[in-house]
């Protein structure tokens, strides 16, 4: 039995939002890639390029699934969801055609998402435009929606939450729950930041942008980060603060033993539990067993000595 047109929008659920957002992105991207000065326009819209490339596999899968469902349920051809799907498919082909046109025939990627990433690489490897400053080049190289940048910011949020507050004396500056969050955030930050520095090194062959940003890593952020370079500096700063505070705490408790960096994440959870911190942040009670209050030796079952 055919589905009533009024019910089709509800049947699409959240996939309608994805297709409508994709339609707008495709239109903007098609105009950008078709323009005469397309490289200059791509430089100012790297985030759009990456967002389309990132969501392309999901868009392709959604269109294929909805076409199968429409055929099975007999959706009317003139229904709004059907028109939306057809328009998105047409725009996808337009973007694919113009994207492939901008790439050499040799070694062209097989999919639209891969082609868009190849276009990004082509534009960045062409180097900065005449007269561009280092900060503008950094904004080009570090779009805010880079997956590695998002991961670094997620880790930095954990570091800032734990280490921005004043450090208590005599106890670890985090709860067991926070230690578990740090256990996840530390390797995430290392991997993400290493990938971001490597990206800068790859595209900025003269090393100007990387050197410019690395010289500012130790400076405390003075405002809410908005651009890609600001997000990188914010994440790198709080990563540095986290390691400095953690090394100080570990040295105080474990000297002369110096754990390897790879051992630190798991060690934090053990230390937090060992010091008796409660999950909701209560301070350990005086005399509790822990690193600062060793367990008392068991009493002898025999008669006490004089």
């Amino acid at each position: 039995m055919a589905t009533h047109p009024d019910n089709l929008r509800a049947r699409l659920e959240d996939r309608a939002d994805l297709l409508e957002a994709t339609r707008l992105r495709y239109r903007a991207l098609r105009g950008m890639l078709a323009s005469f000065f397309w490289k200059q326009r791509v430089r100012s819209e790297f985030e759009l390029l990456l967002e389309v490339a990132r969501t392309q596999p999901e868009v392709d899968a959604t269109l294929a699934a909805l076409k199968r469902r429409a055929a099975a349920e007999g959706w009317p051809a003139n229904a709004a969801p059907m028109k939306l799907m057809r328009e998105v498919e047409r725009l996808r082909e337009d973007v694919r055609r113009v994207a492939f046109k901008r790439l050499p025939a040799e070694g062209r990627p097989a999919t639209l998402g891969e082609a868009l990433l190849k276009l990004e690489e082509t534009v960045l490897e062409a180097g900065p435009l005449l007269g561009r400053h280092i900060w503008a080049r950094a904004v080009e190289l570090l779009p805010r929606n880079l997956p590695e940048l998002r991961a670094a910011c997620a880790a930095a949020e954990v570091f800032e939450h734990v280490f921005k507050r004043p450090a208590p004396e005599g106890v670890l500056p985090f709860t067991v729950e926070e230690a578990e969050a740090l256990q996840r955030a530390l390797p995430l930050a290392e991997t993400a930041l290493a990938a971001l520095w490597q990206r800068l090194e790859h595209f900025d062959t003269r090393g100007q942008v990387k050197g410019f940003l690395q010289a500012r890593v130790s400076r405390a952020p003075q405002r809410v980060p908005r651009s890609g370079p600001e997000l990188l500096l914010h994440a790198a700063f709080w990563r540095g603060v986290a390691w400095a505070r953690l090394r100080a705490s570990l040295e105080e408790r474990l000297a002369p033993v110096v754990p390897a960096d790879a051992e630190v994440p798991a060690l934090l959870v053990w230390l937090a539990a060992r010091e008796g911190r409660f999950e909701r942040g209560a301070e350990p009670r005086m005399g509790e067993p822990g690193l600062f209050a060793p367990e008392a030796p068991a009493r002898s079952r025999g008669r006490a000595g004089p």
Side-chain angles (χ1 to χ4, degrees):
M1 181 178 177
T3 304
H4 193 277
D6 293 341
N7 298 327
L8 290 181
R9 174 74 187 195
R11 300 290 294 277
L12 288 179
E13 300 170 347
D14 60 338
R15 287 177 289 186
D17 294 334
L18 171 65
L19 294 182
E20 287 178 347
T22 300
R23 174 171 60 181
L24 295 176
R25 294 180 187 130
Y26 279 164
R27 286 175 179 172
L29 192 56
R30 179 183 61 180
M32 183 172 71
L33 295 177
S35 66
F36 183 77
F37 296 104
W38 69 274
K39 286 186 178 180
Q40 287 88 324
R41 292 189 61 181
V42 167
R43 288 180 184 278
S44 62
E45 295 289 348
F46 276 129
E47 291 179 18
L48 172 62
L49 197 73
L50 291 176
E51 191 64 23
V52 175
R54 183 184 67 83
T55 59
Q56 195 56 49
E58 184 182 1
V59 171
D60 291 339
T62 297
L63 287 172
L66 289 178
K67 285 182 69 176
R68 290 194 300 269
R69 185 172 180 181
E73 298 182 1
W75 292 4
N78 61 347
M82 294 293 290
K83 292 179 180 179
L84 173 61
M85 287 193 296
R86 287 197 298 269
E87 184 177 5
V88 170
E89 285 184 317
R90 178 176 56 80
L91 288 169
R92 178 179 62 180
E93 293 309 309
D94 290 347
V95 172
R96 184 196 305 274
R97 183 176 61 256
V98 70
F100 281 16
K101 181 181 176 181
R102 299 303 183 188
L103 293 171
E106 251 183 64
R108 267 183 192 164
T111 67
L112 175 57
E114 292 171 343
L116 294 177
L117 294 178
K118 186 67 176 178
L119 279 177
E120 180 210 20
E121 187 175 343
T122 300
V123 173
L124 290 177
E125 286 181 343
L129 297 177
L130 183 63
R132 283 207 176 250
H133 297 293
I134 293 178
W135 185 259
R137 179 63 170 160
V139 173
E140 286 182 354
L141 296 177
L142 296 170
R144 291 173 299 177
N145 56 351
L146 281 173
E148 298 86 356
L149 195 53
R150 288 176 172 174
C153 291
E157 186 176 352
V158 175
F159 301 149
E160 186 174 6
H161 170 74
V162 174
F163 298 111
K164 192 172 184 178
R165 63 195 179 212
E169 294 186 5
V171 294
L172 284 170
F174 46 80
T175 64
V176 173
E177 185 180 49
E178 290 168 341
E180 292 171 347
L182 289 170
Q183 184 181 26
R184 296 186 294 269
L186 286 169
L188 179 65
E190 297 304 308
T191 302
L193 287 172
L196 290 169
W197 292 123
Q198 186 177 2
R199 175 185 174 88
L200 291 176
E201 187 175 339
H202 175 76
F203 290 116
D204 179 44
T205 54
R206 298 175 62 184
Q208 291 180 319
V209 174
K210 184 178 179 181
F212 176 83
L213 293 177
Q214 285 184 329
R216 287 156 176 76
V217 162
S218 60
R219 300 181 185 179
Q222 299 299 313
R223 61 179 184 179
V224 177
R226 300 188 185 280
S227 67
E230 289 174 328
L231 291 169
L232 170 62
L233 291 175
H234 182 269
F237 171 80
W238 283 107
R239 178 262 181 198
V241 170
W243 274 110
R245 293 276 297 275
L246 290 174
R247 288 189 178 109
S249 295
L250 294 176
E251 183 179 359
E252 180 182 351
R253 289 158 176 78
L254 303 178
V257 176
V258 179
D261 288 350
E263 299 173 326
V264 169
L267 188 58
L268 299 179
V269 179
W270 180 82
L271 283 173
R274 183 87 169 95
E275 291 197 11
R277 295 293 299 269
F278 294 98
E279 289 187 0
R280 295 187 178 180
E283 299 295 335
R285 293 171 293 184
M286 293 297 293
E288 272 191 340
L291 292 179
F292 292 103
E295 295 182 12
R299 291 180 178 271
S300 171
R301 291 187 180 181
R303 182 177 177 181

